[in-house]
Amino acid sequence: MASRVYILGGYQTDFADNWARSGLEIADAMRSTIVRGLAEIHLAACDIEVAHIGNFGAELFCNQGHLGGLFAASDPGFDGIPASRHEGACASGSLALLAAGADIEAGRYGLAAVLGVEQMRNVPGEQAAKLIGGPAMWNGHEYQHARYPWVQVFSDVADEYDRRYGLKQEHLSRIAQINFENGRRNANAQTRRWTFKEHSFSADDLDNPIIEGRTRKQDCCQITDGAAIVFLASEERAHEYAKRLGSDLAALPYIKGWGHRTAPITYAAKIKTSEGQPYVFPHVRGAITDAFRRAGLAGVEQIDGIETHDCFTTTEYLAIDHFGITPPGQSWRAIEAGDIEIGGRIPVNPSGGLIGGGHPVGATGVRMALDCFKQVTGAAGEYQVAGAKNFATLNIGGSATTTVSLIVGR
């Protein structure tokens, strides 16, 4: 970043909650998250100069738009605050983070709230699948005959890896198993109390049935209700904040680097572009290397862990080689070696990620940034990576159409 954008902290809701069952609307969840986030890090509404909200489907699931107005309504101290909503499918939260960071870099504002929020469990599962099945792809132009379009898209990603390099289901299943295991460590994870059968992580058609294509049940994350908020600050405001708390600026992490790339919306166009290249999604690799370059890091060997977008196990499989943990097409090596487990060479999704933690679409990018903050400040609890100094994110929207990567460190 041109000037440092510090992360002061934040708050995450319990991703196992079902807001509608508790009689809550999205506005209620936004208000609660904002209020608790402010209290968590000892800020008041009057301290916040600008707000950015990441959200994908409020109109679809809640018949509610204009979320900036709901943010302003959450506390009288926000009356008149400049607030904007950002949408980039599953990368919506990361786009809100980038916009807030740009505001701070430009000197427009000194302290920003970034809220990611989604309510998705207020409709039946089949309806939810239809609501998210088209809008984040080229609706009416691709995957029209798939019952679960996104399951089929990432089944096709698995097929593409298989065609180019070979791919075994056992490696995808191990990714799922690791993330569910990590989720048990996380008090906010959607699946922390889930139980599994003997063959849940095998090619057993009863315990782990195929959902679409070659994608099995445990290869899939679950959408949920959830919100996460983080507070970003300029160096001046961060210094004031640290001093007020009797701390030091050096104790606060900042966004060291970022990458943001957007590819053509259809899956077929992206695969055609990458034909003959080492990476299945070269633009994803580009977003990651952009983040490394801006952070002044040589590569993956200089980070201590990753929170990545595992909407399906194939997405994490591609993240492993696109980050450079292995050469292209050889992600299986890191899985077999235990490199991506907590205690391994480069832990991936110690929080449980999307598979273990849950995926409230617009909140995911913000939640990732908050988990990175926790890791590099030693506040991640049972899923803490020992000695973490630099953590990376990879947040994708659609069929890797919108890609954002961040490096957070001290």
Side-chain angles (χ1 to χ4, degrees):
M1 291 239 171
S3 57
R4 289 186 178 180
V5 176
Y6 285 84
I7 304 178
L8 305 186
Y11 170 77
Q12 175 194 336
T13 67
D14 184 345
F15 283 6
D17 286 347
N18 183 314
W19 296 340
R21 287 181 184 172
S22 300
L24 301 177
E25 299 179 1
I26 191 170
D28 302 312
M30 287 178 64
R31 182 184 304 110
S32 174
T33 303
I34 294 162
V35 169
R36 295 188 68 170
L38 290 168
E40 182 76 19
I41 66 166
H42 310 290
L43 289 174
C46 60
D47 294 319
I48 310 303
E49 299 177 29
V50 65
H52 292 271
I53 302 103
N55 174 267
F56 168 62
E59 289 91 348
L60 297 170
F61 285 83
C62 309
N63 195 31
Q64 179 65 61
H66 216 165
L67 300 189
L70 290 182
F71 190 103
S74 66
D75 188 288
F78 289 134
D79 190 359
I81 192 173
S84 304
R85 174 195 175 182
H86 306 268
E87 187 277 316
C90 299
S92 298
S94 289
L95 296 184
L97 284 162
L98 290 178
D103 266 351
I104 291 170
E105 284 186 296
R108 291 178 173 180
Y109 307 102
L111 208 163
V114 184
L115 173 72
V117 62
E118 208 77 68
Q119 183 171 17
M120 310 185 85
R121 298 179 70 187
N122 55 336
V123 302
E126 286 281 342
Q127 184 181 352
K130 291 179 181 178
L131 291 176
I132 65 174
M137 61 178 61
W138 194 0
N139 194 15
H141 293 267
E142 56 177 342
Y143 293 97
Q144 297 178 71
H145 303 296
R147 182 181 182 188
Y148 300 107
W150 289 112
V151 181
Q152 185 62 60
V153 168
F154 289 98
S155 171
D156 288 353
V157 172
D159 286 342
E160 186 64 21
Y161 262 92
D162 202 3
R163 184 180 72 82
R164 294 190 190 192
Y165 302 108
L167 178 66
K168 293 182 179 180
Q169 177 62 35
E170 64 196 63
H171 295 127
L172 298 180
S173 294
R174 181 57 185 152
I175 286 173
Q177 192 171 25
I178 292 168
N179 289 343
F180 282 119
E181 289 170 354
N182 290 348
R184 292 187 185 282
R185 302 169 177 248
N186 184 348
N188 288 317
Q190 181 185 23
T191 72
R192 63 188 182 271
R193 298 188 186 96
W194 286 18
T195 59
F196 298 95
K197 298 179 180 179
E198 181 182 358
H199 301 293
S200 290
F201 298 99
S202 70
D204 185 285
D205 290 337
L206 291 177
D207 289 353
N208 193 20
I210 289 175
I211 305 301
E212 191 99 23
R214 65 190 288 169
T215 304
R216 294 184 176 272
K217 180 180 179 180
Q218 309 308 344
D219 290 316
C220 309
C221 77
Q222 305 292 317
I223 59 171
T224 189
D225 299 341
I229 191 167
V230 297
F231 299 92
L232 306 184
S234 66
E235 186 166 348
E236 179 182 358
R237 291 298 301 275
H239 179 73
E240 293 172 0
Y241 173 80
K243 185 177 180 180
R244 178 164 61 85
L245 296 186
S247 184
D248 187 80
L249 183 64
L252 290 174
Y254 61 98
I255 300 174
K256 289 187 169 183
W258 58 273
H260 173 204
R261 298 204 182 190
T262 306
I265 194 167
T266 65
Y267 172 76
K270 288 185 275 285
I271 293 302
K272 183 178 180 181
T273 298
S274 75
E275 194 65 50
Q277 298 192 46
Y279 292 99
V280 174
F281 292 111
H283 67 285
V284 174
R285 173 64 178 168
I288 292 167
T289 55
D290 286 346
F292 284 144
R293 173 178 52 80
R294 290 185 172 114
L297 302 178
V300 73
E301 64 277 0
Q302 291 186 277
I303 61 174
D304 301 297
I306 297 165
E307 284 291 330
T308 197
H309 202 93
D310 58 317
C311 52
F312 298 91
T313 53
T314 45
T315 344
E316 182 168 332
Y317 194 87
L318 74 87
I320 292 168
D321 68 354
H322 283 59
F323 263 102
I325 297 173
T326 71
Q330 297 182 31
S331 299
W332 61 271
R333 293 183 181 275
I335 298 165
E336 288 192 355
D339 290 342
I340 63 171
E341 300 173 32
I342 295 177
R345 180 164 63 95
I346 301 183
V348 177
N349 287 339
S351 69
L354 285 64
I355 287 175
H359 183 31
V361 170
T364 286
V366 182
R367 190 277 302 163
M368 289 177 173
L370 179 58
D371 269 317
C372 289
F373 169 89
K374 291 177 180 178
Q375 289 289 350
V376 301
T377 57
E382 292 186 20
Y383 59 97
Q384 178 68 49
V385 173
K389 295 180 179 178
N390 293 302
F391 243 75
T393 74
L394 179 63
N395 189 199
I396 69 169
S399 53
T401 299
T402 301
T403 302
V404 178
S405 181
L406 303 177
I407 308 291
V408 175
R410 291 194 291 175

